[in-house]
Amino acid sequence: MRSTFLITAAAIATAVSAAPATLQKRATTAQVIETCTVPGTIALTFDDGPYEYTWDLAETLKKNGVKATFFMNGENWVDVNTQSVQTSAGKKTYKQVIKHVYDMGHQLGSHTYHHLELAGQSTSKVKSEMTKMETIFRSIIGKNPLYMRPPAGAYDSNTLKTLGGMGYKAVLWDIDSNDWRYSEISSLSHEQANYKSVIEKDSKTKPHGHIALHHDVYEKTAEKLVPWVISYIKSKGTYKFVTVAECLGNTKGSAYRTKQ
Ligand SMILES: [Zn+2]
């Protein structure tokens, strides 16, 4: 009996060490994603929300057949745990806003709890920023996001090691609308130039994939920039609007993990 047990234990040990490539992966540094790998896809991303424009923006995008990705904070422009907002569908808590974005078919990602720039931060600080945000997501959609965007795109090797250990992938961008810089200027010329500088370089027959950066906390972004982006990209006729997970060749559902 004893030898049988030993064989079984050895077999289990072999299986455990061989099988979970994912477990081993999680011990390595987080992958940094700067662009889409599926040609002809574009992932519109929105950072720093939720805020007062987020509810309606999620709907506008859906009405236009656009699936986007929102990298959210717990306490940035608002405190998600305590504050509410007037939307076109009445007064909603910010947790309801997050649920609505999810229900509209968009992907949710983490942007840390306090919008903390992670470069130079201790492992425990990075972990607490991420786990506090996970608590919010789990209370709303019952799972944690797999993708995160480091605030200001700032990270160092310790950031990536910590994020990787938690199972995260870090998402940057290759189109920067710079909308935060021009949010008070009524003209869209700067944002348009930034978009065009990337898109016009693409081959018409085999366009690249792109991840575009915006912030849903500016009225100008929600009301003017997004409608322009949608019509501009659609006018090219060669791009498909997808989530970040999908633009990397993964399913929408793969953007989350159920375990902590
Ligand atoms: Zn941000």
Side-chain angles (χ1 to χ4, degrees):
M1 282 305 284
R2 186 169 167 77
S3 63
T4 310
F5 168 76
L6 284 172
I7 289 162
T8 309
I12 289 168
T14 307
V16 167
S17 65
T22 39
L23 277 185
Q24 282 171 8
K25 237 192 214 162
R26 285 182 63 159
T28 62
T29 59
Q31 184 190 354
V32 179
I33 295 152
E34 291 182 359
T35 188
C36 297
T37 55
V38 178
T41 57
I42 184 158
L44 304 189
T45 65
F46 297 93
D47 292 8
D48 294 6
Y51 192 51
E52 53 187 89
Y53 314 112
T54 309
W55 179 286
D56 292 333
L57 175 61
E59 232 160 82
T60 304
L61 290 166
K62 187 183 165 65
K63 275 184 200 144
N64 283 282
V66 176
K67 277 186 286 178
T69 302
F70 289 74
F71 292 102
M72 292 184 164
N73 299 116
E75 260 188 81
N76 187 10
W77 285 56
V78 295
D79 181 344
V80 163
N81 279 311
T82 58
Q83 287 181 255
S84 303
V85 59
Q86 196 62 42
T87 72
S88 60
K91 196 178 177 190
K92 304 287 177 183
T93 67
Y94 274 106
K95 284 194 166 186
Q96 288 175 311
V97 174
I98 294 176
K99 179 70 165 46
H100 180 67
V101 172
Y102 180 79
D103 288 344
M104 291 287 105
H106 305 300
Q107 181 183 327
L108 300 180
S110 176
H111 198 39
T112 77
Y113 188 84
H114 291 104
H115 200 266
L116 183 75
E117 292 191 19
L118 300 177
Q121 300 291 346
S122 68
T123 301
S124 63
K125 190 76 189 167
V126 174
K127 271 190 182 163
S128 82
E129 278 294 318
M130 301 311 293
T131 51
K132 273 190 92 154
M133 199 60 215
E134 288 177 354
T135 305
I136 292 190
F137 282 124
R138 276 203 313 281
S139 74
I140 301 167
I141 58 166
K143 47 197 176 182
N144 294 330
L146 190 68
Y147 296 87
M148 65 81 65
R149 173 167 284 153
Y155 60 86
D156 58 23
S157 59
N158 184 54
T159 316
L160 294 185
K161 218 170 92 186
T162 310
L163 291 172
M166 299 180 80
Y168 281 101
K169 294 172 192 289
V171 181
L172 300 180
W173 55 86
D174 69 333
I175 298 176
D176 185 351
S177 72
N178 246 312
D179 59 345
W180 61 274
R181 197 187 291 275
Y182 308 114
S183 63
E184 301 298 324
I185 304 171
S186 68
S187 156
L188 279 175
S189 59
H190 292 100
E191 296 93 328
Q192 289 169 337
N194 289 341
Y195 253 91
K196 287 176 179 172
S197 70
V198 178
I199 296 293
E200 302 296 331
K201 278 191 211 131
D202 267 10
S203 143
K204 287 187 173 44
T205 48
K206 206 171 176 236
H208 293 115
H210 299 288
I211 300 176
L213 170 67
H214 324 81
H215 299 79
D216 52 314
V217 293
Y218 302 109
E219 187 178 12
K220 183 186 168 189
T221 295
E223 308 278 315
K224 293 172 87 172
L225 177 58
V226 167
W228 176 80
V229 167
I230 293 173
S231 70
Y232 171 66
I233 294 295
K234 282 188 175 174
S235 77
K236 298 287 163 195
T238 41
Y239 296 94
K240 194 176 171 203
F241 292 101
V242 296
T243 64
V244 165
E246 291 169 316
C247 95
L248 299 167
N250 301 316
T251 62
K252 221 169 78 173
S254 72
Y256 307 95
R257 53 206 155 82
T258 44
K259 285 184 184 163
Q260 267 183 271

